[in-house]
Amino acid sequence: MSGCITYGRQCTTGLPGWLFVWSAGIGAVSFVVALAAPALPVRQAALTTQLLAECTALLVIVSYYA
């Protein structure tokens, strides 16, 4: 792992980059909805969506350096 980060050698391809972009976008939209929505059920659903999207983005990052 340190060789990949330091020298760019032996890096795995990881998950596709579009997955990171979509999960980051969904997480950002869900963040805004979770803060701005007046109804509690909508805010709870947005928060759940945001957490799942952030976990997906984290999975992409971790799988790249695995």
Side-chain angles (χ1 to χ4, degrees):
M1 181 168 148
S2 62
C4 177
I5 295 171
T6 307
Y7 304 110
R9 288 186 266 156
Q10 298 175 347
C11 295
T12 60
T13 57
L15 296 175
W18 62 266
L19 184 61
F20 176 75
V21 172
W22 275 95
S23 63
I26 290 171
V29 170
S30 298
F31 175 73
V32 171
V33 171
L35 291 178
L40 183 62
V42 174
R43 290 189 353 226
Q44 289 175 340
L47 179 62
T48 302
T49 304
Q50 178 190 0
L51 293 175
L52 290 173
E54 289 178 4
C55 288
T56 304
L58 182 62
L59 178 66
V60 172
I61 293 169
V62 170
S63 71
Y64 185 77
Y65 292 113

